[in-house]
């Protein structure tokens, strides 16, 4: 893992903690989209490794819809 993926993981952990402490709804796209092995976007969820593609957005939809209901 490199410095960037470490920073992103740390930031997401801080956001998750803040949301929990302040009872704010939190859509955890990060855990759903990244590989725990190297913290890169999972295969097939992006064309460039950074931005989600249609498959990535489908995963995000599955995360957010239950929270919106």
């Amino acid at each position: 893992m490199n410095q960037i993926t470490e920073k992103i993981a740390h930031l997401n952990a801080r956001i998750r903690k803040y949301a929990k402490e302040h009872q704010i709804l939190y859509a955890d796209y990060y855990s759903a989209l990244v590989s725990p092995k190297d913290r890169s976007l999972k295969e097939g969820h992006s064309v460039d490794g950074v931005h989600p593609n249609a498959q990535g957005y489908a995963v995000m939809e599955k995360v957010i819809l239950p929270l919106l209901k």
Side-chain angles (χ1 to χ4, degrees):
M1 287 172 257
N2 63 43
Q3 278 187 327
I4 294 171
T5 56
E6 288 295 323
K7 285 181 180 181
I8 293 169
H10 180 70
L11 176 61
N12 277 284
R14 289 178 56 204
I15 293 169
R16 183 184 311 108
K17 180 181 177 198
Y18 181 88
K20 184 176 182 176
E21 289 172 352
H22 296 278
Q23 299 176 353
I24 299 169
L25 208 55
Y26 173 67
D28 187 6
Y29 297 131
Y30 179 76
S31 295
L33 289 172
V34 300
S35 167
K37 182 179 79 175
D38 63 2
R39 294 188 179 153
S40 64
L41 283 177
K42 291 178 184 171
E43 184 74 30
H45 291 165
S46 175
V47 175
D48 62 6
V50 177
H51 303 94
N53 60 14
Q55 281 183 281
Y57 282 116
V59 170
M60 294 168 73
E61 181 180 41
K62 289 178 185 175
V63 171
I64 195 68
L65 282 180
L67 298 175
L68 294 175
K69 292 183 179 183

